[in-house]
């Protein structure tokens, strides 16, 4: 393998390794070698627009990375391979096999980004910047992308003019602001100057000439200040570096344009930067004090970015002083650490990472910094952990087939997307194609997806969709559509009802009907009408239920009454106790033809162990043996007990009371009544109390015997949210 590589190319590997040794703390030399050879093989024979071998480009990107933004060996390897998946036969899996998933994942991230950038206008630059960030899970992807872009911008001359301009605009509108957000001050300046060179070449040349013309003059002038300032500060015990600097071309250009000034009207072209080797922030203010003793400051220009750093973490003391001959000189004062952060931003943080991880407070402040880094007004949550980015991962950026971008919250589905386009598209949505493939309506969309909604005129929004969608807008529209649907249904049902009534003498109301068909889960007139419209119940069934004869009317009865279930007792009072009509239901020992009745406190049904009391009126009151009243001493003392047994032939329905206790939630009553009606049992009464999230439902129902009742109670216990089901007894 090595033999196939020309000596000239082999030199490039040595150069990269030499730079790694000089700039990186930890790296695996063999990883970088393997990446280099893979890069060479992958791009072998390819040429760049300039005619150079293509593989010079990734090698230069790796070189830029290791010198401009030194991170780690993995990022150097990934930089070498950054165009491999996109431009060669090699796949993600090949890179995994050769160099592992860490490198492969970064390369894949770079491939994804460049795929998205193709043929995009830069009109929605902010959106694109966010989209880039949302797609990138590892910060190294972005940093390598900057170096890739920087090298492409430096070699832009060999591209045709229209491509040059597009790339330059993209650099100015997307990459430079992004570099600024990451605190990569030097990268930002380089990218802006290069962009200007292709966007406005005449102006660029003009400014360059102007700045260069004054260069010697500037150096001489600034030196007159720098030398004494440095000497003075050192005398005071500060270890400082004092730099003379010129405003960069793009920022001169911007100032001229925005403030409508000529080059000669710009007075802050010169600047002095003092970098102090100290960790004490107060030293910056002390140095400011010493310098302004000699050179008068312009107070309006004083800005303290040390106490209040910029959003991207930038820290420095800014001011302006009046130099010799009355020139205004920009003054920046910062510590060495602040300086590194100003130049390298996020990359500088990785240099400090080792130190940071040993100190919790430093980790916190680092994370805080990272959170603030990319924050803007409209993105609340952003955080970073290790090399992982999680900046705009709460948002995704997806495209219509025409390329319009929609920003949706993470987790959004094709239905959310459809409603983001238009309510009608949402309402009629039956499916979607994502990147050309049919997906289900609940598929989760990802940044960069191209989504095509499939609609049908007969489609209607479903209540289920509410569980799928994540956007407020979609929820609102689906609910509105469902409510409208229900409104129309009710109207239709009401018409059907009116039509039905027109054939009768209107002797009953819809409330009569609801009472009669309650077991269908119909509780309100609206329920009744929509059930009619949906053909859940027919007019005939309703009519039949209303006209069906009711249960016999009840007689009242005194006697034992429990306090605990007053309403049950009241209900039971309405129920006929049938003392004479049902003589054959029980056999009372030693007494024939004696009148009897069932105690309403415990409502015995066939199968229950029962016992009778002879009352003062000379009738027998039948209780369940385990009824609390049976053990009531007063009762036992004052009344005569008789033995009672059920007649085996009894086949009538008995009133029984049960109590269901459960969680108070929507639809609970419907579920309970549903179970009972499916059991083919009539509910006599139902009372409901809910308090503190617990609901208590007392039911009186008609059953033939305890077997039936036990089966029903078991079924009720299986209803989700039901805690207990018991027989009612006083
Ligand atoms: Mn590239």
């Amino acid at each position: 393998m090595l033999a196939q590589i020309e000596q000239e190319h082999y030199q490039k590997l040595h150069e990269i390794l030499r730079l790694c040794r000089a700039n990186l703390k930890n790296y695996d030399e063999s990883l970088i070698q393997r990446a280099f050879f893979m890069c060479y093989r992958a791009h072998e024979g390819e040429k760049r627009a300039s005619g150079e071998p293509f593989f010079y480009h990734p090698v230069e990107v790796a070189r830029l990375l290791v010198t401009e933004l030194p991170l780690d060996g993995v990022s150097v390897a990934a930089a070498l391979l950054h165009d491999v998946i996109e431009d060669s036969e090699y796949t993600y899996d090949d890179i995994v096999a050769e160099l592992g998933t860490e490198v492969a994942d970064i390369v894949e991230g770079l491939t994804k980004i460049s795929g998205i950038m193709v043929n995009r206008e830069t009109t929605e630059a902010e959106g694109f910047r966010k989209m880039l960030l949302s797609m990138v899970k590892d910060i190294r992807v972005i940093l390598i992308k900057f170096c890739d872009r920087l090298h492409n911008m430096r070699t832009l001359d060999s591209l045709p003019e229209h491509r040059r301009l597009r790339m330059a605009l993209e650099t100015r509108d997307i990459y430079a602001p992004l570099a600024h957000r990451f605190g990569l001050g030097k990268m930002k300046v380089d990218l802006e100057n290069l962009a200007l060179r292709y966007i406005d070449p005449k102006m660029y040349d003009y400014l360059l000439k102007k700045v260069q013309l004054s260069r010697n003059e500037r150096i001489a002038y600034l030196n007159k200040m720098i030398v004494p300032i440095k000497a003075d500060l050192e005398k005071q015990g500060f270890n400082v570096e004092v730099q003379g600097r010129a405003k960069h071309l793009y920022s001169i250009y911007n100032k001229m344009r925005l403030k409508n000034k000529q080059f000669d009207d710009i007075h802050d072209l010169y600047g002095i930067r003092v970098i102090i080797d100290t960790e004490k922030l107060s030293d910056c203010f002390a140095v400011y004090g010493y310098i302004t003793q000699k050179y008068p400051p312009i107070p309006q220009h004083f800005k303290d970015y040390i106490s209040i750093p910029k959003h991207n973490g930038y820290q420095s003391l800014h001011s302006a002083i009046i130099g010799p001959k009355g020139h205004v000189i920009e003054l920046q004062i910062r510590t060495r650490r602040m300086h590194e952060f100003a130049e390298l931003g996020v990359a500088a943080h990785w240099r400090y990472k080792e130190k940071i991880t040993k100190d919790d407070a430093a980790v916190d402040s680092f994370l805080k910094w990272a959170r603030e880094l990319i924050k803007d007004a409209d993105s609340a949550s952003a955080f970073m952990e290790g090399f992982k980015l999680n900046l705009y991962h709460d948002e995704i950026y997806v495209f219509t087939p025409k390329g319009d971008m929609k920003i949706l919250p993470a987790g959004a589905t094709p239905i959310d997307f459809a409603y983001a386009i238009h309510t009608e598209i949402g309402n009629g949505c039956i499916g979607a194609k994502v990147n050309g493939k049919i997906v289900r309506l609940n598929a989760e969309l990802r940044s960069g997806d191209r989504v095509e909604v499939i609609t049908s005129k007969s489609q209607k929004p479903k209540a289920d969709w509410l569980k799928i969608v994540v956007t407020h807008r979609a929820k609102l529209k689906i609910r509105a559509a469902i409510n409208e649907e229900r409104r129309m249904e009710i109207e239709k049902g009401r018409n059907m009802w009116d039509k039905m009534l027109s054939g009768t003498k209107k002797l009953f109301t819809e409330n009569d009907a609801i009472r009669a068909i309650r077991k269908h889960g119909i509780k309100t007139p609206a329920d009744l009408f929509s059930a009619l419209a949906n053909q859940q119940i027919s007019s005939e069934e309703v009519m039949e239920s209303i006209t069906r004869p009711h249960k016999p009317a009840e007689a009242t009865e005194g006697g034992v009454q429990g306090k605990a279930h007053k309403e049950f007792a009241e209900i039971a009072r309405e129920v006929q106790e049938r003392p004479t009509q049902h003589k054959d239901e029980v056999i009372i020992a030693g007494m024939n033809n004696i009148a009897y009745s069932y105690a309403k406190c415990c409502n015995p049904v066939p199968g229950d162990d029962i016992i009778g009391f002879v009352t003062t009126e000379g009738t027998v009151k039948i209780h369940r043996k385990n009824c609390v009243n049976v053990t009531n001493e007063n009762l036992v003392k004052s009344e005569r007990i008789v033995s009672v047994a059920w007649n085996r032939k009894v086949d009538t329905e008995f009133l029984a009371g049960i109590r269901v206790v459960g969680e108070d939630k929507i639809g609970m009553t419907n579920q309970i009544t549903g179970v009972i009606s499916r059991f083919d049992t009539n509910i006599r009464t139902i009372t409901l109390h809910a308090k503190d999230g617990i609901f208590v439902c007392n039911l009186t129902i008609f059953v033939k015997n305890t077997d039936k009742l036990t089966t029903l109670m078991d079924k009720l216990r299986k209803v989700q949210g039901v805690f207990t089901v018991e027989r009612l007894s006083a």
Side-chain angles (χ1 to χ4, degrees), residues 54 57 61 82-83 148 152:
F54 186 89
H57 165 66
V61 172
H82 78 269
D83 280 327
D148 181 31
N152 285 333

Side-chain angles (χ1 to χ4, degrees), residues 502-554:
S502 67
T504 73
K505 288 177 178 168
K506 299 193 184 184
L507 291 176
F508 43 83
T509 65
E510 57 251 36
N511 282 323
D512 296 327
I514 292 158
R515 263 193 295 277
I517 57 173
R518 184 172 282 164
K519 67 174 178 180
H520 292 267
I522 288 165
K523 288 179 292 180
T524 65
D527 288 343
L528 169 66
F529 298 140
S530 82
L532 282 168
N534 284 330
Q535 297 171 332
Q536 282 164 9
I537 191 165
S538 69
S539 328
E540 289 75 24
E541 278 176 276
V542 176
M543 195 60 102
E544 200 193 290
S545 301
I546 299 169
T547 50
R548 184 194 299 149
H550 287 277
K551 294 279 167 193
E554 306 92 16

Side-chain angles (χ1 to χ4, degrees), residues 292-565:
T292 52
Q293 272 172 21
K294 201 165 178 182
Y295 302 98
I298 304 173
Q300 304 94 291
H301 286 232
F302 183 83
K303 279 183 198 122
D304 175 10
Y305 293 120
I306 290 177
S307 311
I308 305 161
K310 285 190 185 178
H311 256 339
N312 63 7
Y314 176 89
Q315 281 188 300
S316 198
L317 209 57
H318 284 196
S319 188
I321 49 175
I322 298 170
K325 298 182 207 162
H327 283 311
V328 175
I329 308 294
E330 275 199 334
L331 176 65
Q332 295 180 349
I333 301 167
R334 48 175 80 151
T335 66
R336 176 69 58 190
R337 184 178 170 126
M338 288 175 199
H339 179 63
E340 280 195 27
F341 281 37
E343 298 279 291
L344 296 175
V346 71
H349 277 277
W350 305 121
R351 292 184 149 188
Y352 283 92
K353 220 179 138 208
E354 270 178 40
K355 237 190 261 173
I356 283 167
T357 47
K358 283 172 193 147
D359 176 351
D360 282 350
V363 170
D364 282 350
S365 79
F366 166 71
L367 286 174
K368 187 166 169 279
W369 177 84
R371 274 186 211 106
E372 293 296 318
L373 181 64
I374 312 292
K375 201 158 112 186
D376 1 75
D378 60 341
S379 110
S381 76
F383 72 96
M384 215 186 295
E385 170 203 302
F387 278 121
K388 288 193 193 79
L389 271 181
N390 201 339
L391 301 172
Y392 289 109
H393 289 180
D394 49 349
E395 287 178 347
I396 58 163
Y397 304 83
V398 287
F399 299 91
T400 66
K402 283 181 185 166
D404 293 336
M405 187 171 72
K406 298 283 168 203
I407 302 177
L408 296 171
T413 61
I415 303 177
D416 290 298
F417 179 82
Y419 278 106
I421 297 172
H422 196 277
T423 306
E424 288 307 307
I425 308 253
N427 287 341
C429 176
I430 53 167
K433 276 186 193 172
V434 171
N435 305 323
K437 278 183 206 151
I438 298 270
V439 299
R440 301 202 313 197
L441 283 178
N442 65 353
E444 203 171 297
L445 299 177
R446 291 172 193 282
S447 266
D449 281 347
R450 199 172 52 85
V451 187
E452 193 179 333
V453 178
I454 304 164
T455 58
S456 159
K457 277 190 180 142
S458 60
Q459 175 70 309
K460 280 172 189 161
K462 307 277 188 288
D464 287 356
W465 290 8
L466 291 168
K467 290 177 207 152
I468 297 170
V469 298
V470 299
T471 54
H472 182 62
R473 182 186 158 83
K475 279 182 187 161
L476 218 66
K477 298 290 180 185
I478 294 167
R479 273 199 207 101
I482 290 171
N483 288 341
E484 176 62 13
E485 179 86 351
R486 171 134 171 112
R487 196 189 62 74
M488 283 164 67
E489 199 177 86
I490 290 167
E491 208 175 283
K492 186 179 164 197
R494 180 178 280 284
N495 287 336
M496 290 166 76
W497 174 255
D498 287 346
K499 213 169 160 188
M500 189 186 95
L501 281 197
S502 67
T504 73
K505 288 177 178 168
K506 299 193 184 184
L507 291 176
F508 43 83
T509 65
E510 57 251 36
N511 282 323
D512 296 327
I514 292 158
R515 263 193 295 277
I517 57 173
R518 184 172 282 164
K519 67 174 178 180
H520 292 267
I522 288 165
K523 288 179 292 180
T524 65
D527 288 343
L528 169 66
F529 298 140
S530 82
L532 282 168
N534 284 330
Q535 297 171 332
Q536 282 164 9
I537 191 165
S538 69
S539 328
E540 289 75 24
E541 278 176 276
V542 176
M543 195 60 102
E544 200 193 290
S545 301
I546 299 169
T547 50
R548 184 194 299 149
H550 287 277
K551 294 279 167 193
E554 306 92 16
T556 54
E557 193 257 359
V560 186
Q561 189 170 336
K563 284 171 193 163
H565 305 293

Side-chain angles (χ1 to χ4, degrees), residues 243-297:
Q243 302 174 336
R245 47 183 288 275
K247 212 176 179 67
H248 80 275
L249 295 187
Y250 183 77
S251 99
I252 298 171
Y253 171 82
N254 243 356
K255 194 155 191 174
M256 286 167 64
R257 221 176 37 141
L258 294 175
K259 302 204 170 165
N260 203 15
K261 285 184 172 182
Q262 295 301 306
F263 181 84
D264 295 320
D265 297 332
I266 293 178
H267 298 296
D268 55 355
L269 288 174
Y270 302 162
I272 285 174
R273 180 182 291 152
V274 182
I275 299 158
I276 316 166
D277 287 318
T278 181
E279 285 293 316
K280 273 162 69 187
L281 304 186
S282 59
D283 286 353
C284 298
F285 295 92
V287 163
Y288 176 78
Y290 285 116
I291 294 173
T292 52
Q293 272 172 21
K294 201 165 178 182
Y295 302 98

